[in-house]
Amino acid sequence: MVLVMDKIFKAAFVVIFVMLVSEKGYGQQALLRYADKEYELLHYQESAEAYERAFKKRGKYPAAKGAALSHEKMNDYSAAYEWWQKVIGFEQSTTDDYVHFAATANNQGKLEEVLAALDTLPDREGLDALNLDSLMYWYNESPKQDLQPMEALNSSAADFGLVEDGRGNKYFTSDRGNSGNSKKSALRFDVSGKMNEDFYEWTGRDFLHVYKADTSGSISSLDVPVPDSYHFADPFFTEGGDVVFYTVTRKVKRQNGKKIRPAKRVNPEMDYGQGAPSYIDYHAELYFSHLNDKGEFTDYQPVPWNDAIGYSVITPFVDEEARMLYFASDMPGGHGGYDIYAVSFDEDFNFGTVQNLGEVINSPEDERDPFMKDDTFYFSSNGHFGLGGFDLFSANHKDENFSALKNLGLPYNSVRDDFGITLAEGGQMYLSSDRSGGSGLDDIYTIQAMLMRFLGRVVNCEGALVSDGFMAEMIKKDEQRALTLDQETAGEIQRDLEPGEEYTLKISKRGYFPVYDGQIKAEAEDGLVEREYTLVPIPYQRTVFVDLVYYDLDKAVIRSDAMAVLDKVAELMASQSYLDLQVRSHTDARASNEYNETLSNSRADAVAAYLEGKGISSERVHEAWYGEEELINDCGDGQPCPEWKHQLNRRSELVLMAFSEEGKEYELPADLKDLCDEPNLGVTMDVPTIYFDFDQYTLRPTSVSQLDRVALLMKERPEVELALAGHTDIRGSESYNEVLSEHRAEVVRDYLIKLGIDAERISYKWYGKTQPVHDCSEQPCSEADHQLNRRTEIMLMLDGLNINEAPAPMSGGEEAAAMPLATEEIYLISGVFSTVDNASKHLDGLGRKGFAQAKYFYNPDDQLFYCYVTTFDSFHAASKGLEQYKSDGLENVWVKKM
C-alpha cells in the first residue's frame, strides 16, 4: 500500500509541476514549435491562439506572422488585419507581408492604408495583382440598394448558400454546430496529427451541414444522405423539387478498388477546398438524390467524374430547360485553381462529357457558385478584378458562349468575400458574404425586389391581346445586347430587370408596324414595370387621295388648271414620305392606237417631270399609260360626242398610295401615332358637292368630271361607302322640293353606278328645302346663295362614320354629361354598342349569366357605350383575371385601359 501511495504521489507531483510551469516555464520557442506544429496539422484555431500567446511573451516577428497567417486561413479578416499590421512593423517584413497587409486592409475598407502600403515599398511588383489604384472607383461608388441580413437564418458561425425548393422551403449551409474548442486546455500536448472527428480542426467549429428553414420559419439540420460524411453542403433543387444535387466530403476507405491508408494524416476539405501538402485530402464530391413527396432523400448517387483523393467537385447548379449541370472543380487541366464546368444530362441523369467554360469565366485563381437566370450567368471569383476576396460577377450567355464579363459592384460585392448568388421567383435575390457588420463569419443577405419585373401587353387596335406571331427584342442600353424574354403567356412579354437600369424594346409582327419603346427604366415602387403596346397593321397600298388632271387635244403639256392639283400632290408627298404616286394616263379615242399609247406615255412623263421640279424623286412616281383603252364614257371610235366628253377622256389619274410595297416592313410615321383612329391616315380626301341649275336635276359637265374623281376613289377604296343627301333652295312648295331633292340624289347615284360602283355601297336621302346652306326665308338671298342651296352632298363613310370629319359631339349636352364616363383604370370589356339601349340589353344578358355587377361607361371620343364586367389595378392582375372570366363562360371579353 505504501508503494502504491508513493507512485500516486509522484504521478500527482509531476502533473501539478507541469501545470505550474506550463505558462511560465514553457518558453516562447516551445510555444512557437507547438504553434508551428498545429499550423502544419491545419489546426488554425489552435495555432492562432498559440502564436498570440508566444507574441505576448516576447513580441517577435515569427509569432506575429504566424498569428496573421492562421487568422487569414480561417478567413477572419479583422484579426488578420490587426496581426499583419504588427508584422509590417518589423524590419524583417517582406514585400509578401505588405501584399498580405494591403489585402487585409482592403478587406477592412481602409483605402488610405492600402495606398500608404504602396508608397512605403520601393518595389511595388507584388502589389500589382491587387489592382489597387482602380479600387478608387469602387470606394467612391454609391450603391443603389441596401443588403438586408436574413437575421432569422444567420448565426455567429458561417452561414451561406441559400436556395429554395419547389415547396417554399429554404436551405443553407452552416457550421453552427457545437464548437470544438470550447473546452480546450491552456496547452495541448497531443500533436500527433490524429484527426478529431467531432469537429473540424481547421476552424475549431463543426463540420458543414445543410439546414432547412421550412415555411413556418423552423430551422432543422438535415441528415447527411451519404454515409461516413464529414461535410454536407451546397444543395441545389431542380425546379420540380424531386431531385437535389449537393456536395459531401466523406471518409474515403477505398479508391479504385484499393484500400486507403491515411496514416493518421487526413484533411477532410471544406466545400471551398483548402488542400494540405503531405496530407491525404478527402476532397468534396458531387452527389444527387431523389426526393419523395415529403421532401425526404430516398437514395444517393455520385456523379461519374468524382475523385475524392484527386480533386474537389462543389457548388452545383442545374439548368433544367437546357439539361445542363454546372459546378466548380479544381480537377486537372483547368485555368487555375477552381474552374466552372458544365455537363449535359438526359432525363435519367446519364451525363455527357464535362466541358470547361473557358477563359471568359475562369481565371488563374478560383471560380465557383454558378447560377443562371434567363441569359445571364452569375458566379463568384477571386481571380477577376474586384473589390477584394471573392466577388460576384455576371456574364452574357447565348448559344453556349459567354461574353461581357461584369463585376456586379456595390452593394453585391464588398471588400471581403461575396459569393453564392441565387435568384428566386418574384425577383428576390440571396447572396452570402463575410462583410463587416454581420452576425458571424459568413452571413446570408437578401435584396428585396432586386430585380424589377417587366410586364408588357401587346394588343391590337380593338384592345384585344395579340396572342401569337409577334417577336419582341429587349436590349439593355449600357451593354447593347439582346435579352431573352418570357412570352409563355399569350399576348404578354415578361422579363426581370435590374433596378435603375435602362432598356429598349422592339415589338414586330409581319404586316404590322414595329413598336419601339426606348424609355423603359427599371423603377417602380411595387417592383412591377408595366406597359401596353398596340400593334397596328400596315395599311398596304392604301389609297388616301385621288385627283384628275386634264390635257388639251393632242397635247402632253401640264395646263395651268392642273398645276394647282399637282402642287397639292407634291405638298402631300413632301410631308409624308410613306406616300407614292401612281400616274395612269389616257387619251381620247381620236388618232391611232399606237399614237395614243405614245401620247399617254408622254402625259405620264410630264406629271413626273413636274413633280420632280417640286423636289419629288422620280422613284416615288410610278407611271402607267393606256392610250385610248380605258375611256371613261362611250366616246369611242366613230361615236359622235361633244368636246366636253372627249375632254373627260384626255386625263391622268393621280392616285396617292400609302405603303405601296406589299410585305415590306415600314416604320410607323411620327405623325400617325394614333393610326388606329385614322381611317384615311390623316389625309383629307376632297369630296365635291354637286350643284344644279334652278329647278333641274341634270348633271353639269363640271359635275361629271367631279364624279369621275369620286368613282376613281371608290374603286381604289372598296371598303368605303357613300352617303348622298339631296337638297333644293327654298323656292317652291315643300312637296315639290322633296321630290326634286330626291331626283338630285338619285342622278348622282345613278351616274356612279354607271361607272361601275356597286349600288349597295351608295345610300341616299333627300331633304327638300329643310336644310339650306343659306336660310333665305327670313332675309333676301342672292342668286349665288340660292345656287349653294341647290346641291347633292357626298359623304365618305367608313364603319358608319364620315372619314373626313371628327366625331360629332353627342346630341343633348345634359344627357351626355349625365352618362358614366371611363376613369384611368383597366377594364374587362364584354361589349361595345352605339346606343345606351343596346348596352342596357347586353347588361341584362350578363345579369342572367350571373354577372350582375357588370356596368357600362360612355366614351365621348368615339360616342360608344362600353360594357365591362370588372376593373383591375394592374395588367398583371388583368392577365390572370381575363383567363378566369373566360373559364367562367365569358369567351368574348378583352382587357382595355382607358
Side-chain angles (χ1 to χ4, degrees), residues 16-87:
I16 293 171
F17 175 78
V18 170
M19 292 179 63
L20 290 174
V21 304
S22 61
E23 285 298 319
K24 293 183 180 181
Y26 201 79
Q28 187 196 42
Q29 291 302 317
L31 274 172
L32 285 175
R33 287 195 298 272
Y34 171 73
D36 290 343
K37 186 65 174 179
E38 290 294 298
Y39 187 89
E40 291 174 2
L41 292 171
L42 315 183
H43 302 165
Y44 296 119
Q45 179 69 34
E46 191 69 33
S47 66
E49 294 188 7
Y51 282 126
E52 289 176 13
R53 289 200 302 273
F55 185 84
K56 186 176 182 181
K57 282 182 171 292
R58 296 180 63 185
K60 295 295 185 178
Y61 170 79
K65 185 168 183 176
L69 288 170
S70 295
H71 285 295
E72 198 173 86
K73 284 289 188 180
M74 294 185 292
N75 297 329
D76 187 348
Y77 295 120
S78 296
Y81 162 75
E82 294 177 2
W83 283 99
W84 283 117
Q85 194 173 38
K86 292 180 173 64
V87 170

Side-chain angles (χ1 to χ4, degrees), residues 719-730:
E719 79 280 12
V720 171
E721 297 178 347
L722 289 183
L724 308 178
H727 304 271
T728 68
D729 60 26
I730 67 167

Side-chain angles (χ1 to χ4, degrees), residues 822-892:
T823 58
E824 291 187 4
E825 291 188 89
I826 301 171
Y827 292 85
L828 184 65
I829 304 296
S830 59
V832 183
F833 304 93
S834 59
T835 67
V836 68
D837 291 338
N838 289 338
S840 298
K841 291 178 182 178
H842 178 73
L843 292 180
D844 291 341
L846 290 176
R848 289 191 295 271
K849 292 181 179 180
F851 300 97
Q853 77 278 13
K855 301 178 182 179
Y856 77 86
F857 62 80
Y858 175 70
N859 184 11
D861 293 337
D862 55 19
Q863 301 182 48
L864 296 175
F865 298 86
Y866 288 75
C867 294
Y868 65 95
V869 182
T870 187
T871 61
F872 303 97
D873 295 330
S874 68
F875 283 118
H876 182 67
S879 177
K880 293 184 177 179
L882 176 65
E883 298 303 320
Q884 181 60 50
Y885 277 95
K886 284 187 175 182
S887 66
D888 290 342
L890 290 180
E891 291 294 334
N892 299 316

